[in-house]
Amino acid sequence: MHLIYPAILAALLFCTGLYGVLARRNAILVLMSVELMLNAVNLNLVAFDVWLRDELHAGQALTLFTIAIAAAEIGIGLAIVLLVHRNRGTADLDRLRDLHEDATDPGTADATDREQKTDREQNAEAAS
């Protein structure tokens, strides 16, 4: 068997998956593209295992581990996407980038923030 045919197919699959990761905005399509890239790696592992005629079949064994890890990754990724879609109403990755908080770090707060905090604390004590 020639090694060039599965290697070219794996390269095409990997490039298609890379394009999907970089160009898509939907989180589910990005996960599918990552899965396509992992399948390209699996194809290379099996092709090189057959080409090298390894008696231990290390490439095929590593492929089974990669398939198991990919299944776990897709399961967890889909669970996260479904939770985000339930809470936010969208699976668009551009809209999910605003999940960070704008709170300032207490160690870098300036003097006016500290004064406002102490004023709020004094007002809370006076009200109680």
Side-chain angles (χ1 to χ4, degrees), residues 50-80:
V50 170
W51 184 64
L52 292 173
R53 297 175 191 207
D54 186 17
E55 293 179 9
L56 295 176
H57 300 292
Q60 294 177 20
L62 194 57
T63 298
L64 289 176
F65 285 120
T66 307
I67 290 171
I69 289 172
E73 175 254 335
I74 289 296
I76 292 172
L78 281 176
I80 291 171

Side-chain angles (χ1 to χ4, degrees), residues 14-24 33 37:
F14 192 85
C15 289
T16 305
L18 185 65
Y19 174 75
V21 167
L22 296 177
R24 298 293 180 182
S33 297
M37 291 167 55

